[in-house]
Amino acid sequence: MSIWIHTRNIFFVVLGSAIMSFGLVYFNMQNQLADGGFTGITLILYNLFNINPAFSNLVLNIPVLILGWRLLGRHVFVYTLISTAAVSLFLWLFQEVELLHLPLQDDLVLVALFAGVFVGSGLGIVFRYGGTTGGADIIAKLASNVFGWTMGRSLFMFDAVVIIASLLYLDYREAMYTLVFVFVAARVIDFIQQGAYSGKAAMIISDQAPEVADAILQEMNRGATILNGKGSFTRQEKEILYCVVGKNELMRLKHLVERVDPHAFVTVNDVQDVIGEGFTLDENKNPLQ
C-alpha cells in the first residue's frame, strides 16, 4: 500500500472516530441512551460510577488489543489502535469544550435518530477505511476461533448482554429509545459501507444480444459483458448480457431493450457498490472528481 493510501485511511479513521465521539457525547451521554459493545460498557461505567468514557475506553480496549493483535493483521491493528486512541481523545475533548447543549430529554425520538446518524456515520467511516473500534470485534474473533461461533452471533450476544446490563441505569422509556438508536446506527453503518456508487445490474437474455449491447453502448454510453449460457429446457446456446447502470438509467435501459428485442428476458438486481469506469473512473481510468 502506498503512503498516500495509508495517509488517506488514517485521516478518515480519525474523522470517523471524531464523528462517533461527537454523537456519543452530545446525544447518548447528555440524554442517557445506552449502546452495545465496549462503548456501551463505558456508558454504564459513566452513568453508574461517573467514570469518564475517555479513560474507560482506553482501559478496556488496550488489554483486548494486546490479546488479539494477531487476529487483526498489521494494517487493521494499526488503524484500530489509532481509532481507539482517537475516540478517547475526542470523547475527552468534546466533554471539556462544550460545543453545544441540546435540551432534548423531552424528545427522545430526535435524540435516538441523531445519535444513530452520528454514531453510525462515524463507525461506518472507520470500517470503510480499514479500521475497527477494537473491543467487541476482537472478542467476537476470539469466540469464533475458540467456540466456532460466527462473528454475527458473537457480536449480537455481546451487544445484547451489554444493553441488558444498561437497564441498571435506564428506565423502560430510555431502553426502548436505545433500541431505536441501535437500529438507526446499524442502518447508517450499512449505508456508509455500501458506498455512494450504488446502481442496478441487469441480466438480459436475448436472441439479439449483440444488437442490444451495441444499442446500450451507443445510446447510453454503457458497456455490457456477453456471457455464454444454455437453456435448461431447449438446450439451445444463448448469449446473456450483464450490464450495470445507475438507478436513474434503469427505465431508459428497459425501454431500449424492449425496442430492440421485445421478447428479451430481463432480470434486475440491486448493486450495493460499483467501482470502475463510468462510476468511479472516467474513460481514461482516472478517478472521477
Side-chain angles (χ1 to χ4, degrees):
M1 293 177 68
S2 68
I3 294 176
W4 156 246
I5 293 176
H6 276 306
T7 304
R8 181 203 65 183
N9 289 351
I10 290 172
F11 171 80
F12 281 106
V13 165
V14 173
L15 176 63
S17 301
I19 295 172
M20 172 188 170
S21 301
F22 182 91
L24 288 172
V25 171
Y26 292 111
F27 295 101
N28 292 68
M29 290 173 61
Q30 286 188 5
N31 298 279
Q32 287 195 310
L33 286 189
D35 196 1
F38 272 36
T39 304
I41 296 176
T42 65
L43 293 176
I44 292 174
L45 296 174
Y46 171 73
N47 283 280
L48 293 181
F49 307 108
N50 201 31
I51 299 175
N52 194 322
F55 173 74
S56 57
N57 181 64
L58 284 177
V59 171
L60 290 171
N61 272 293
I62 289 179
V64 178
L65 283 169
I66 294 173
L67 181 65
W69 71 274
R70 290 184 182 274
L71 297 173
L72 296 176
R74 186 177 66 179
H75 291 144
V76 176
F77 174 76
V78 171
Y79 295 155
T80 299
L81 198 61
I82 291 171
S83 175
T84 301
V87 167
S88 287
L89 173 63
F90 285 113
L91 284 173
W92 172 82
L93 183 63
F94 288 136
Q95 291 177 82
E96 292 295 317
V97 182
E98 188 173 2
L99 299 179
L100 74 163
H101 178 73
L102 300 173
L104 295 174
Q105 287 83 359
D106 295 330
D107 196 346
L108 288 182
V109 173
L110 282 179
V111 173
L113 292 176
F114 275 93
V117 169
F118 277 97
V119 174
S121 296
L123 283 172
I125 292 171
V126 171
F127 294 156
R128 187 172 177 84
Y129 287 92
T132 75
T133 54
D137 298 325
I138 296 174
I139 290 178
K141 287 181 182 290
L142 289 171
S144 177
N145 290 348
V146 175
F147 302 110
W149 298 346
T150 64
M151 286 285 293
R153 178 185 177 186
S154 301
L155 287 171
F156 174 79
M157 291 177 64
F158 189 83
D159 286 348
V161 169
V162 173
I163 291 176
I164 291 172
S166 300
L167 294 174
L168 292 170
Y169 71 90
L170 296 178
D171 61 26
Y172 77 93
R173 183 167 174 264
E174 293 164 344
M176 293 172 70
Y177 281 111
T178 291
L179 296 178
V180 175
F181 151 69
V182 170
F183 176 82
V184 173
R187 299 286 74 76
V188 173
I189 289 171
D190 288 342
F191 175 78
I192 297 293
Q193 288 191 284
Q194 287 165 3
Y197 297 99
S198 59
K200 296 288 185 178
M203 298 285 286
I204 305 165
I205 303 174
S206 170
D207 293 328
Q208 303 177 50
E211 291 82 357
V212 174
D214 288 341
I216 292 172
L217 180 61
Q218 296 298 325
E219 298 183 28
M220 299 184 63
N221 197 30
R222 290 290 186 192
T225 300
I226 298 179
L227 309 173
N228 294 320
K230 180 186 288 187
S232 64
F233 179 71
T234 64
R235 299 298 177 182
Q236 293 182 347
E237 298 289 337
K238 290 282 187 179
E239 289 185 325
I240 304 169
L241 291 178
Y242 179 78
C243 181
V244 177
V245 298
K247 291 180 179 179
N248 59 329
E249 298 174 307
L250 179 60
M251 291 307 300
R252 187 180 173 191
L253 176 66
K254 288 182 178 179
H255 293 320
L256 184 152
V257 173
E258 185 179 16
R259 189 186 75 238
V260 177
D261 182 6
H263 303 291
F265 184 84
V266 182
T267 64
V268 179
N269 296 296
D270 289 324
V271 176
Q272 301 295 352
D273 203 357
V274 187
I275 300 172
E277 185 176 340
F279 291 89
T280 60
L281 303 175
D282 62 20
E283 63 275 10
N284 298 316
K285 311 299 184 184
N286 295 317
L288 292 172
Q289 300 298 321

